[in-house]
Amino acid sequence: MINVLEVLILLYFTVLNTLYAVAVFVATRQLSYHIRRRQSVGLTELLNREFYKPVSILVPAYNEEETIQASVDSFLSLQYPEYEVIVVNDGSKDGTLETLIRTYDLTPSHRNASKTLQTRPVRMTYRSRTRPNLTVVDKENGGKADALNVGLTYAVFPLFCAVDADSLLDAEALLRLARRFVENDRLIAAGGSVRVMNGSTLKDGRISELLIPKGWIERVQIVEYARAFLAGRTTFSALGLLLIISGAFGLFKRSVVIEAGGFLEGTVGEDMELVMRLHRQMRDRKTPYEIEFDLDPVCWTQAPDSWKVLAAQRDRWQRGLWEGLLHHRKMWFNPKYGRIGMIAIPYYLLFEALAPLIEIGGYAFMLILGVLGRLNGEFVLLFLLLALLYGTVVSVAALSIELFMRVHYKHPKHRLQLLVTALLENFGFRQWHAWVRFRATLRLGQQKGQWGTMTRQKITARKHN
């Protein structure tokens, strides 16, 4: 029995790391294509085109006093022909609403909402005297999904962009992502890249100087984001298997999402659940559609800077992953849903949701064998090689592609520091992360739909002279 378990554990990590290697290869080819595409279509040409689709930017906010001004400034500075920004204050207990009222000279308004979705009561709507495309909705607390649904009922444009209140968008990000909907009538949802902005400085709503943060815990998240978006979502999108569009930056057809019932309350993974529901609905109706990820548009997000906050975030992500998968368990291994049911969902189930259980189980298994005096040296060597070393190589490869082909740090030493971080993350951090996700799996059903606590850093801003 022990030999069988050893073989199964080693086989699992062999398959997982092989998939990682394939993902890096596919991502490299896709990145080369995106770079050529970006160079062939400049911003001026995009702005001069007469065809575009207006966009409503939805910003759910809960206790975002420290970052809300910088984020809204970045949204209002976007280079896009026609769009509106709708900030939904979800019953914040800090000074989020007061900051918005003071900064943007808000005045009460009587903007009517559609009755397409059931939401928590709205207390008041505001419009800005200085920025006519800014609307703020103050509502009772109901969670992120409810806040997004409120934004949907007040939105008026055919596309909506869901962004986090602690995030910033590159000036061209919305333009470059929205053009995909003009080029492809079958597209119903698209996501862009998300990068960590901790340590960087802001000027006129944009990142003016890209620097790496001083804290190791923040640096390791830069590595994680590079691996997840470059080697993960790029590959899944290219193969038509994308199940996640980040809640920090996603663009959707508003009518399709409303028809699907909006964002689901009672889950902490409303972004993934919505994408899975869209796949399910379109395939049930046999309606041609596409859901894509685009490397080109970039959203900058503030990553947790403490172990406590990071653990809470990863706990929430793991529970959200399981909630989405379990809510749509009808799609598991179901040929009716094509490659989504037969490939994408099984992958997320076996190699994402179950990964921490298998990894922690592998460490525990080795410990038990050691106590019993039956530890196999070859098994230990192969396990560590597959679980740690090969994963480190993949991480370094993905980060190297990201650093040298896309992201340009001012100081070469910053690239070296991040590469060292990629080497070290598998020794200590990875095991801690696996334990957090393992524990989160055991706590499924607790704190359903709650935002959780996320401590923000005030974004350093430089004013235009």
Side-chain angles (χ1 to χ4, degrees):
M1 182 62 176
I2 292 178
N3 289 334
V4 173
L5 284 176
E6 290 177 351
V7 171
L8 289 177
I9 291 173
L10 294 177
L11 179 62
Y12 175 87
F13 283 102
T14 299
V15 173
L16 177 60
N17 285 298
T18 300
L19 292 174
Y20 282 162
V22 172
V24 171
F25 173 75
V26 174
T28 304
R29 293 175 60 89
Q30 287 294 308
L31 182 55
S32 298
Y33 166 75
H34 277 278
I35 291 175
R36 294 194 303 270
R37 188 169 183 261
R38 184 186 182 98
Q39 292 172 342
S40 64
V41 183
L43 177 61
T44 302
E45 181 182 350
L46 289 172
L47 286 172
N48 287 338
R49 290 180 177 178
E50 296 180 355
F51 52 91
Y52 63 87
K53 294 184 178 182
V55 176
S56 298
I57 300 176
L58 310 185
V59 189
Y62 178 73
N63 292 347
E64 304 287 354
E65 180 181 5
E66 292 295 325
T67 61
I68 192 65
Q69 180 180 345
S71 298
V72 173
D73 281 349
S74 81
F75 304 143
L76 293 173
S77 301
L78 293 172
Q79 299 184 39
Y80 198 81
E82 186 178 7
Y83 69 98
E84 63 175 350
V85 177
I86 302 176
V87 180
V88 182
N89 180 48
D90 189 45
S92 296
K93 298 178 181 178
D94 64 356
T96 299
L97 181 60
E98 290 73 19
T99 298
L100 289 167
I101 292 174
R102 180 179 62 255
T103 304
Y104 302 103
D105 193 14
L106 300 182
T107 182
S109 67
H110 300 284
R111 180 166 174 169
N112 294 322
S114 62
K115 302 299 182 183
T116 52
L117 300 172
Q118 295 296 319
T119 65
R120 298 292 195 280
V122 170
R123 298 165 178 164
M124 180 65 68
T125 60
Y126 301 85
R127 63 178 180 82
S128 171
R129 291 190 179 96
T130 58
R131 306 305 296 263
N133 61 334
L134 173 62
T135 297
V136 174
V137 181
D138 182 36
K139 62 177 288 290
E140 294 182 4
N141 180 260
K144 186 176 181 180
D146 186 66
L148 286 167
N149 286 336
V150 167
L152 277 173
T153 64
Y154 280 91
V156 297
F157 292 142
L159 298 180
F160 77 88
C161 181
V163 293
D164 284 345
D166 64 332
S167 301
L168 310 176
L169 293 181
D170 270 355
E172 304 175 18
L174 186 59
L175 190 64
R176 294 190 178 278
L177 190 57
R179 73 167 174 162
R180 303 293 289 265
F181 289 81
V182 175
E183 298 169 344
N184 185 358
D185 289 336
R186 293 170 45 151
L187 189 63
I188 62 172
S193 296
V194 179
R195 296 181 190 158
V196 174
M197 67 177 172
N198 298 47
S200 300
T201 54
L202 186 70
K203 181 178 180 180
D204 297 333
R206 305 180 190 177
I207 297 293
S208 61
E209 188 176 12
L210 183 59
L211 302 170
I212 66 170
K214 296 180 180 179
W216 187 84
I217 191 172
E218 297 158 283
R219 293 180 185 179
V220 77
Q221 292 174 80
I222 295 178
V223 176
E224 288 185 301
Y225 276 72
R227 181 174 59 240
F229 285 91
L230 180 66
R233 296 186 193 180
T234 301
T235 302
F236 274 78
S237 178
L239 300 176
L241 301 171
L242 191 63
L243 283 190
I244 299 178
I245 288 178
S246 174
F249 184 28
L251 193 59
F252 301 82
K253 279 189 176 179
R254 178 171 170 266
S255 60
V256 174
V257 172
I258 288 180
E259 190 176 357
F263 290 85
L264 180 67
E265 294 185 55
T267 178
V268 292
E270 70 288 327
D271 46 4
M272 179 179 182
E273 191 285 324
L274 174 62
V275 175
M276 294 185 69
R277 183 153 32 96
L278 292 177
H279 278 299
R280 183 173 179 176
Q281 174 176 281
M282 302 304 280
R283 289 178 179 270
D284 281 342
R285 298 179 179 180
K286 296 181 172 56
T287 302
Y289 74 101
E290 291 182 22
I291 296 175
E292 298 178 351
F293 167 75
D294 193 334
L295 270 170
D296 203 8
V298 175
C299 170
W300 299 92
T301 191
Q302 188 174 123
D305 61 348
S306 72
W307 291 104
K308 180 180 179 180
V309 177
L310 181 60
Q313 181 195 66
R314 300 311 167 86
D315 179 286
R316 185 172 67 251
W317 285 5
Q318 179 70 8
R319 287 184 288 117
L321 171 62
W322 270 111
E323 288 171 3
L325 289 170
L326 292 173
H327 189 77
H328 296 283
R329 54 188 176 275
K330 177 184 176 181
M331 300 173 69
W332 294 11
F333 305 98
N334 190 336
K336 175 182 177 181
Y337 299 102
R339 68 185 72 180
I340 300 300
M342 298 300 293
I343 301 176
I345 290 179
Y347 172 86
Y348 274 94
L349 177 64
L350 297 174
F351 297 110
E352 292 290 344
L354 290 174
L357 278 70
I358 294 174
E359 184 165 350
I360 294 298
Y363 295 130
F365 182 54
M366 285 196 302
L367 180 61
I368 293 173
L369 290 180
V371 171
L372 297 177
R374 303 180 61 180
L375 192 61
N376 186 324
E378 292 183 1
F379 168 72
V380 173
L381 180 63
L382 288 173
F383 176 79
L384 294 177
L385 182 68
L386 292 171
L388 302 180
L389 183 59
Y390 195 68
T392 302
V393 172
V394 172
S395 295
V396 171
L399 181 64
S400 298
I401 295 169
E402 173 81 354
L403 290 177
F404 292 99
M405 294 182 70
R406 299 188 70 216
V407 182
H408 302 288
Y409 284 92
K410 184 176 181 180
H411 303 291
K413 69 177 182 179
H414 291 167
R415 295 179 180 179
L416 179 61
Q417 289 172 331
L418 289 177
L419 289 173
V420 171
T421 302
L423 285 170
L424 298 178
E425 70 152 334
N426 282 278
F427 304 93
F429 176 82
R430 174 172 175 167
Q431 290 72 29
W432 172 84
H433 190 202
W435 170 251
V436 170
R437 295 177 62 199
F438 175 86
R439 186 178 57 188
T441 302
L442 302 182
R443 295 167 55 189
L444 286 175
Q446 299 180 23
Q447 299 176 313
K448 293 192 65 176
Q450 296 300 308
W451 285 57
T453 301
M454 175 70 178
T455 304
R456 308 296 189 194
Q457 296 177 354
K458 190 172 183 61
I459 300 174
T460 304
R462 293 179 178 175
K463 296 296 183 182
H464 181 71
N465 295 324

